[in-house]
Amino acid sequence: MMTMMIAVLPGDGIGPEVLRSAIDVLKKVAPDLETVHGDVGLECFSRRGEYLPDDTIDLIKASDAVLFGAITTPLKAEGYRSPILRIRKEFDLYANLRPVRNPAPGIGLVDMDVVIVRENTEGMYTGDETVDADGVDLRRRVSRAASERICRFARELSESQGRKRVTCVHKANVLRKSDGLFRDVFYEVMEGSDIDSRDMIVDAAAAALVTSPQDLDVIVTLNLYGDILSDEAAALAGGLGIAPSANLGDRHALFEPVHGSAPDIAGRGIANPTAALLTTAMMLEHIGRADEAASLRGAVTASLSSGHRTRDLDGDLGTYEFTEQVLSRL
Ligand code: ATP
């Protein structure tokens, strides 16, 4: 069997702290995987004068999957292009997948098990802004091809995971043509599927996450709505410290915790590594290691359930102490 190679891009702030936990755990559950570190982010810029060097791009190209930590956006951002947005674009990682569930019973404000599939390449995030004397125009793009691709992704994911319902979230009552196209394409793509297909206005979906999350299962939505709803859902299910995500294309895949580099707590050894560990489980599943993914998720849940928690979850453990709890349960 060919050895699989994982590119590890820790980045800035708590990125390296939580990825250290992820790598320690990975070495225990899947010791045959090769991990190769690459440079990215602000700290890389201060050493090498670039945020995303070519050798990191080459490393991603050669890898079977990428584990990404977090990056700090520079304060003076003139001409700055976010490395993560560049990677998403260059490797055509069109689907942003954010499963949100409470990592253990009793954690979070609301019980939920929702998968948010977010279109990652267009919508409000074209970055195409034109300034005039009085204001700014933004060109917002919704194409049939990108809508079809993401809705098909959501359908296939729902079918393969045995999910029961897919809800298309949009604002087609106001954005009649653009969001209307997204909604129409969604129903076309879902035709012939046994999965219950519905659509919902984004404001109603934001409320439903709080009041009736059990009615939601898989959500497929445009870029901006997916960004906001997934942070809302993560906050309800236990906070940023527990939320994993994947950026997927047809050939490449990048896995990252939803949280950023958290400069306010970086360097103190107190960051919650749960998001990074659950992100690692998603990566294992993606490369065909479902058993290892399940045992990692089980060890995280068991650690949290027996009261071992970091400060963001009202516990008193540091990053490494929590990681040791997980390691001891693997
Ligand atoms: P960035 O600009 O890199 O996105 P940020 O501080 O704006 O950084 P986050 O890094 O997502 O955004 O952090 C938001 C808040 O959540 C911060 O108060 C941070 O300390 C907290 N936080 C984020 N991730 C974690 C974690 N893994 N463990 C504990 N707290 C976290």
Side-chain angles (χ1 to χ4, degrees):
M1 199 170 72
M2 280 251 295
T3 308
M4 285 195 158
M5 192 268 275
I6 311 302
V8 180
L9 311 183
D12 302 313
I14 63 168
E17 300 174 36
V18 296
L19 280 205
R20 191 167 312 128
S21 298
I23 299 305
D24 286 350
V25 164
L26 201 56
K27 296 267 177 243
K28 185 147 185 194
V29 284
D32 57 299
L33 294 178
E34 185 189 359
T35 53
V36 182
H37 279 63
D39 265 341
V40 72
L42 189 58
E43 191 273 330
C44 165
F45 180 78
S46 68
R47 265 185 299 115
R48 302 182 51 177
E50 359 175 36
Y51 293 96
L52 181 58
D54 285 346
D55 52 69
T56 301
I57 294 281
D58 292 341
L59 177 65
I60 297 173
K61 268 187 203 145
S63 70
D64 292 287
V66 181
L67 256 187
F68 191 93
I71 42 181
T72 303
T73 306
L75 284 177
K76 283 195 189 131
E78 198 60 42
Y80 173 76
R81 208 170 145 219
S82 155
I84 194 74
L85 293 184
R86 211 183 122 198
I87 293 171
R88 281 180 188 165
K89 202 171 175 74
E90 279 198 26
F91 292 94
D92 199 20
L93 306 177
Y94 62 87
N96 188 207
L97 181 59
R98 297 186 176 193
V100 188
R101 73 172 77 88
N102 314 69
I107 291 183
L109 303 167
V110 171
D111 288 339
M112 68 169 77
D113 179 5
V114 172
V115 178
I116 299 179
V117 176
R118 165 187 171 198
E119 202 289 318
N120 225 1
T121 65
E122 50 180 40
M124 204 76 100
Y125 288 55
T126 52
D128 191 352
E129 295 181 312
T130 316
V131 181
D132 60 37
D134 190 42
V136 183
D137 281 322
L138 164 68
R139 194 185 60 90
R140 175 178 179 275
R141 176 83 183 157
V142 179
S143 72
R144 169 168 280 275
S147 303
E148 245 174 49
R149 183 157 81 155
I150 198 72
C151 290
R152 186 156 295 124
F153 178 94
R155 174 176 173 164
E156 283 165 11
L157 173 117
S158 308
E159 287 171 349
S160 70
Q161 292 192 359
R163 297 267 172 177
K164 302 277 179 283
R165 173 178 295 166
V166 187
T167 304
C168 168
V169 171
H170 59 81
K171 188 77 185 172
N173 55 332
V174 177
L175 304 169
R176 302 179 84 88
K177 292 213 166 71
S178 52
D179 282 24
L181 172 66
F182 187 73
R183 185 190 50 195
D184 292 348
V185 168
F186 165 73
Y187 282 117
E188 282 169 32
V189 167
M190 293 307 293
E191 230 165 76
S193 171
D194 291 336
I195 295 175
D196 178 27
S197 310
R198 305 185 171 198
D199 71 282
M200 211 183 240
I201 307 285
V202 62
D203 16 344
L209 279 173
V210 181
T211 57
S212 50
Q214 68 285 352
D215 294 343
L216 297 166
D217 193 352
V218 175
I219 289 174
V220 61
T221 190
L222 294 153
N223 214 333
L224 176 67
Y225 313 142
D227 196 3
I228 297 171
L229 291 181
S230 57
D231 271 30
E232 180 198 353
L236 292 168
L240 281 174
I242 60 105
S245 82
N247 293 277
L248 305 173
D250 292 330
R251 301 205 3 239
H252 295 277
L254 179 146
F255 298 81
E256 57 172 338
V258 169
H259 63 73
S261 65
D264 55 335
I265 58 163
R268 293 168 56 198
I270 59 170
N272 188 352
T274 299
L277 297 177
L278 297 177
T279 295
T280 305
M282 284 182 87
M283 184 205 73
L284 283 166
E285 204 154 41
H286 180 81
I287 60 170
R289 310 290 286 265
D291 291 347
E292 289 91 334
S295 65
L296 173 49
R297 284 197 187 103
V300 170
T301 302
S303 304
L304 293 168
S305 298
S306 46
H308 301 289
R309 296 177 188 185
T310 47
R311 292 186 197 190
D312 55 311
L313 299 177
D314 299 326
D316 57 3
L317 296 189
T319 311
Y320 207 75
E321 294 164 299
F322 181 76
T323 309
E324 280 177 333
Q325 289 298 328
V326 176
L327 284 166
S328 72
R329 287 173 172 79
L330 280 168

